[in-house]
């Protein structure tokens, strides 16, 4: 089974509670035994961290960066 998305490719991802955003694939994760789907690391320009997501949650980016609204900052709980 091969990867659908390449490192550096622009993809669409919809975080929980947010609108679809534009992300770039930063890494193709190693295949896991008995895994149902491939995993990727992705990053948005508006966030300071990467996300670990399943291939089925991604779509190829079809529009330009201007067509995607800026993402809302992620609110985390805890005293960090």
């Amino acid at each position: 089974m091969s990867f659908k998305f390449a490192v550096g490719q622009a993809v669409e991802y919809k975080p929980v509670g947010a609108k679809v955003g534009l992300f770039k694939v930063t890494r193709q994760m190693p295949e896991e035994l008995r895994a149902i789907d491939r995993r990727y690391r992705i990053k948005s320009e508006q966030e300071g961290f990467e996300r670990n997501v399943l291939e089925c949650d991604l779509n190829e980016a079809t529009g330009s960066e201007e067509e995607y609204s800026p993402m809302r900052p992620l609110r985390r709980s805890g005293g960090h």
Side-chain angles (χ1 to χ4, degrees):
M1 189 157 95
S2 63
F3 285 95
K4 184 175 178 181
F5 304 105
V7 173
Q9 183 175 353
V11 292
E12 293 178 347
Y13 174 69
K14 185 182 183 310
V16 175
K19 294 181 180 181
V20 172
L22 184 65
F23 291 78
K24 291 220 184 221
V25 175
T26 59
R27 182 174 179 201
Q28 298 169 330
M29 301 301 288
E31 186 174 352
E32 297 176 14
L33 184 64
R34 298 187 190 151
I36 295 171
D37 207 354
R38 300 260 184 203
R39 289 188 171 273
Y40 296 85
R41 297 286 295 197
I42 60 172
K43 182 157 184 341
S44 167
E45 294 279 329
Q46 287 86 27
E47 297 176 333
F49 57 92
E50 293 183 350
R51 295 171 181 262
N52 192 19
V53 299
L54 293 172
E55 188 172 81
C56 63
D57 293 328
L58 300 175
N59 290 309
E60 188 173 340
T62 56
S64 65
E65 284 189 46
E66 294 79 36
E67 294 178 41
Y68 296 92
S69 58
M71 295 199 44
R72 230 177 10 168
L74 184 66
R75 293 183 357 197
R76 298 186 181 233
S77 60
H80 302 316

